[in-house]
Structure formats: structure tokens, C-alpha cells
Amino acid sequence: MRPNLRRALSLALTLILAVFLFFRISKEAEAIELSKVEPFYLLAAFLFGVLAYLCYTVIWYLLLRGSSSVGFLKLLRLNLMNSYLSMTLNSAVGNMVKAKYAMDDWWMSLGIISMVTVFEILPGTVIGVFTGNYHLIPALVVLLWALVHEDSLYPLVAIPFRLVKREGWIHRFYLGWKKAKKGRFVEALLISPLQPFFLSLALISTARAFEVHVPLWKGLLSVTYSTVIGGALGTPGGIGGNELGVVMAIGSVPAGTTIAFTYKLLTQYIYAVVGIIPFYRIGVGEE
């Protein structure tokens, strides 16, 4: 598909989803008594989101120890800049820019990005299987297989790339994954559950602000659904898909779409605004 056509389809899909979100939220607003919305819980959701974002950066920092000497503060700036570019353009552009500063090769960097994503969605996938979402079993098997023994999985993953004569791409991805495991992998693995845990607490707090109870296990499941669906749709910032994933996980609750959007605003979209600062600062790539 041509880049211009792909970009036009992505923008059109984003517009459709944004209009749908606006319609749903405007309808839900009629049933919400704003005086009963508790700002304390929204503040708590924001703080949990900050902790999750810092955990995300720490995990990146630990995994990069095997292939890059980029410092933590610089990596934090790069992640914020990535948030801005992912929201204004798309995640691929954001990751390419981040890769330019964090690593020399985009496909190798994508290997590390994928490992961080696996860490983020793994707890929710496990919870989903244990709560009866058995359609997640194949995904869980592949995720664990990739973490435990990627060498035996690689030949299978490489088949479609080999057929289109692009095996070099997946091989560099594979090398990036291997380099991540040569970093402080065990420490990153042990810390990784904190990110989806804090995101789950942020969702629980957001829902509580609207007088809705969301259990922790549904919060973890929402992290998985939101990350996967938001990434799969390819809209800027995953908008629309993120909220859909959250609503699918928490089920039919009062003001569900409003809760989902507010949660993503406090834990993801707000960092796109903050990311304007490192993007426009001269010397963003300096230590």
C-alpha cells in the first residue's frame, strides 16, 4: 500500500473513531452528574499514570544496557518525544525517531520495543486465560515461547519474511531482541509487572471518580486489550482502539466510554503534550 494512501486511511479511521467517541461521550454526559465526579480519584489516576510511565522508561533503560549507553534522563526525553510523534503522526514515526537516538538500527530497536510491549501485555494475558478468556491461550503460548527460547521460534517467524525476500528485516529484529536479553533482562522482567499494575490502578481510580467499581483483574485485562487493539488499528496514538480495548475489558458499565477516554487521557495522551518540549528543544539528542 502506498504511504500516502496508508496515511489517508489512518487519518480517516482516526476521524471516524474520534467522532464515534465524541458521540458516545456526549450521550453519556447527559446521565453524569458532574458535581459527583471526585477529582481526588482523577488526581490519583494521573499519579499512577506517571509511575507507569517511569516504569516503562526504567524497563527500556535496563534492556538497552546490552546495546546502548543512552542515559535514563535522555531516554525519558526520547519516550516523551515518541509520545508526541505517535499522537501527531503515528507510532512507527515516533519509534523511528527514538531509534535514531537510542540505537543505530530501527529494526533492532523494534525488537526491544516488542519486548517492552510483551512485558506490558503479559500479566493481562495470563489473567485473561485464568478468568475464562481461552482465546488468549495461543497468544500466551507465543509470548512465553518468545521470552524463554526465541531461538526455536525465530525460524517460524522468519518464514513469511523469507518468502518476500525480506529476511534481513526480521533477522535484525531478532538481533535486537537478543541484545535486549543481554542487557539487564532479569531485572527488567522482575520490574515489568509494575507498569500494567500501575495502569490498572489508574483505571480503577478513574472509574471510581465516576462512582463505578472496576476490579483489579479487569484493569489488567484492559491494559492488554487496549495495547493490542490500539496498536493494531494504527491510528495516531492508537486513539479509538485504546478506548475500545478498555471498554471490552471492563464490560458494560455506566459512562464506560467516558471512563475509558479519561483514563487514556491521564495515562497516555497527556504525555504527547509534554513531549512537545523535548521535540522542539535544540539539542534533544545531547546528554
mmCIF file of all heavy atoms in Angstrom, residues 6 17 32-33 38 42 64 71 136 162 172 181 186 196 264:
data_model
loop_
_atom_site.group_PDB
_atom_site.id
_atom_site.type_symbol
_atom_site.label_atom_id
_atom_site.label_comp_id
_atom_site.label_asym_id
_atom_site.label_seq_id
_atom_site.Cartn_x
_atom_site.Cartn_y
_atom_site.Cartn_z
ATOM 1 N N ARG A 6 -1.939 4.949 2.757
ATOM 2 C CA ARG A 6 -1.962 4.425 4.118
ATOM 3 C C ARG A 6 -2.209 5.548 5.125
ATOM 4 O O ARG A 6 -2.970 5.397 6.075
ATOM 5 C CB ARG A 6 -0.638 3.718 4.423
ATOM 6 C CG ARG A 6 -0.632 2.982 5.754
ATOM 7 C CD ARG A 6 0.744 2.417 6.085
ATOM 8 N NE ARG A 6 1.250 1.563 5.027
ATOM 9 C CZ ARG A 6 2.318 1.849 4.300
ATOM 10 N NH1 ARG A 6 2.968 2.984 4.486
ATOM 11 N NH2 ARG A 6 2.725 1.022 3.373
ATOM 12 N N LEU A 17 -13.337 7.235 14.345
ATOM 13 C CA LEU A 17 -13.325 6.796 15.741
ATOM 14 C C LEU A 17 -13.485 7.973 16.696
ATOM 15 O O LEU A 17 -14.150 7.864 17.733
ATOM 16 C CB LEU A 17 -12.029 6.041 16.033
ATOM 17 C CG LEU A 17 -11.894 4.675 15.352
ATOM 18 C CD1 LEU A 17 -10.487 4.116 15.541
ATOM 19 C CD2 LEU A 17 -12.925 3.699 15.901
ATOM 20 N N ILE A 32 -24.461 11.836 33.529
ATOM 21 C CA ILE A 32 -23.431 12.022 34.558
ATOM 22 C C ILE A 32 -23.675 13.324 35.315
ATOM 23 O O ILE A 32 -23.830 14.389 34.704
ATOM 24 C CB ILE A 32 -22.030 12.061 33.925
ATOM 25 C CG1 ILE A 32 -21.713 10.743 33.226
ATOM 26 C CG2 ILE A 32 -20.966 12.348 34.983
ATOM 27 C CD1 ILE A 32 -20.408 10.751 32.464
ATOM 28 N N GLU A 33 -23.722 13.248 36.619
ATOM 29 C CA GLU A 33 -23.790 14.446 37.445
ATOM 30 C C GLU A 33 -22.364 14.881 37.756
ATOM 31 O O GLU A 33 -21.662 14.263 38.559
ATOM 32 C CB GLU A 33 -24.552 14.153 38.738
ATOM 33 C CG GLU A 33 -26.031 13.823 38.523
ATOM 34 C CD GLU A 33 -26.762 13.675 39.846
ATOM 35 O OE1 GLU A 33 -26.479 14.488 40.767
ATOM 36 O OE2 GLU A 33 -27.580 12.762 39.972
ATOM 37 N N GLU A 38 -15.445 12.802 41.437
ATOM 38 C CA GLU A 38 -14.496 13.083 42.516
ATOM 39 C C GLU A 38 -13.098 13.352 41.956
ATOM 40 O O GLU A 38 -12.429 12.429 41.475
ATOM 41 C CB GLU A 38 -14.456 11.914 43.492
ATOM 42 C CG GLU A 38 -15.830 11.619 44.105
ATOM 43 C CD GLU A 38 -15.769 10.543 45.176
ATOM 44 O OE1 GLU A 38 -14.897 10.653 46.071
ATOM 45 O OE2 GLU A 38 -16.576 9.606 45.113
ATOM 46 N N LEU A 42 -9.275 11.287 40.180
ATOM 47 C CA LEU A 42 -8.652 11.635 38.907
ATOM 48 C C LEU A 42 -7.181 12.002 39.116
ATOM 49 O O LEU A 42 -6.323 11.651 38.301
ATOM 50 C CB LEU A 42 -9.399 12.794 38.250
ATOM 51 C CG LEU A 42 -10.839 12.498 37.822
ATOM 52 C CD1 LEU A 42 -11.466 13.735 37.184
ATOM 53 C CD2 LEU A 42 -10.889 11.325 36.843
ATOM 54 N N LEU A 64 18.250 -1.824 27.311
ATOM 55 C CA LEU A 64 19.233 -1.210 26.422
ATOM 56 C C LEU A 64 20.667 -1.343 26.924
ATOM 57 O O LEU A 64 21.603 -1.016 26.189
ATOM 58 C CB LEU A 64 18.913 0.278 26.222
ATOM 59 C CG LEU A 64 17.813 0.602 25.220
ATOM 60 C CD1 LEU A 64 17.467 2.082 25.280
ATOM 61 C CD2 LEU A 64 18.234 0.216 23.807
ATOM 62 N N GLY A 71 21.588 7.462 28.520
ATOM 63 C CA GLY A 71 21.259 7.657 29.923
ATOM 64 C C GLY A 71 19.764 7.650 30.178
ATOM 65 O O GLY A 71 18.950 7.790 29.259
ATOM 66 N N LEU A 136 -7.228 -16.371 24.409
ATOM 67 C CA LEU A 136 -5.921 -15.755 24.624
ATOM 68 C C LEU A 136 -4.800 -16.782 24.801
ATOM 69 O O LEU A 136 -3.632 -16.414 24.861
ATOM 70 C CB LEU A 136 -5.963 -14.841 25.864
ATOM 71 C CG LEU A 136 -6.854 -13.604 25.767
ATOM 72 C CD1 LEU A 136 -6.888 -12.873 27.106
ATOM 73 C CD2 LEU A 136 -6.369 -12.673 24.659
ATOM 74 N N ARG A 162 11.021 -14.472 4.633
ATOM 75 C CA ARG A 162 11.878 -15.132 3.655
ATOM 76 C C ARG A 162 11.151 -15.260 2.315
ATOM 77 O O ARG A 162 11.766 -15.110 1.247
ATOM 78 C CB ARG A 162 12.278 -16.504 4.180
ATOM 79 C CG ARG A 162 13.380 -17.191 3.349
ATOM 80 C CD ARG A 162 13.783 -18.514 3.950
ATOM 81 N NE ARG A 162 14.330 -18.353 5.297
ATOM 82 C CZ ARG A 162 13.775 -18.868 6.392
ATOM 83 N NH1 ARG A 162 12.663 -19.589 6.297
ATOM 84 N NH2 ARG A 162 14.328 -18.689 7.567
ATOM 85 N N ARG A 172 17.329 -8.650 11.818
ATOM 86 C CA ARG A 172 17.789 -7.531 12.644
ATOM 87 C C ARG A 172 16.866 -7.345 13.850
ATOM 88 O O ARG A 172 17.317 -7.002 14.938
ATOM 89 C CB ARG A 172 17.866 -6.253 11.807
ATOM 90 C CG ARG A 172 18.900 -6.333 10.682
ATOM 91 C CD ARG A 172 19.357 -4.973 10.217
ATOM 92 N NE ARG A 172 18.281 -4.121 9.772
ATOM 93 C CZ ARG A 172 17.766 -4.120 8.551
ATOM 94 N NH1 ARG A 172 18.233 -4.977 7.643
ATOM 95 N NH2 ARG A 172 16.803 -3.288 8.211
ATOM 96 N N LYS A 181 17.988 -9.176 25.694
ATOM 97 C CA LYS A 181 18.182 -10.229 26.691
ATOM 98 C C LYS A 181 19.613 -10.236 27.242
ATOM 99 O O LYS A 181 19.877 -10.813 28.289
ATOM 100 C CB LYS A 181 17.826 -11.594 26.106
ATOM 101 C CG LYS A 181 16.341 -11.729 25.776
ATOM 102 C CD LYS A 181 15.954 -13.160 25.461
ATOM 103 C CE LYS A 181 15.918 -14.017 26.707
ATOM 104 N NZ LYS A 181 15.351 -15.360 26.450
ATOM 105 N N VAL A 186 16.845 -9.808 33.486
ATOM 106 C CA VAL A 186 16.165 -10.350 34.670
ATOM 107 C C VAL A 186 15.571 -9.221 35.507
ATOM 108 O O VAL A 186 14.427 -9.301 35.968
ATOM 109 C CB VAL A 186 17.133 -11.200 35.515
ATOM 110 C CG1 VAL A 186 16.460 -11.646 36.806
ATOM 111 C CG2 VAL A 186 17.614 -12.415 34.716
ATOM 112 N N PRO A 196 1.904 -2.491 34.123
ATOM 113 C CA PRO A 196 0.467 -2.747 33.978
ATOM 114 C C PRO A 196 -0.284 -2.651 35.306
ATOM 115 O O PRO A 196 -1.475 -2.304 35.311
ATOM 116 C CB PRO A 196 0.412 -4.172 33.407
ATOM 117 C CG PRO A 196 1.733 -4.778 33.709
ATOM 118 C CD PRO A 196 2.712 -3.654 33.698
ATOM 119 N N LYS A 264 -7.304 7.023 29.390
ATOM 120 C CA LYS A 264 -6.239 7.124 28.395
ATOM 121 C C LYS A 264 -5.682 8.546 28.323
ATOM 122 O O LYS A 264 -4.478 8.739 28.077
ATOM 123 C CB LYS A 264 -6.739 6.696 27.015
ATOM 124 C CG LYS A 264 -7.154 5.237 26.913
ATOM 125 C CD LYS A 264 -6.064 4.283 27.376
ATOM 126 C CE LYS A 264 -4.800 4.345 26.570
ATOM 127 N NZ LYS A 264 -3.822 3.287 26.939
#
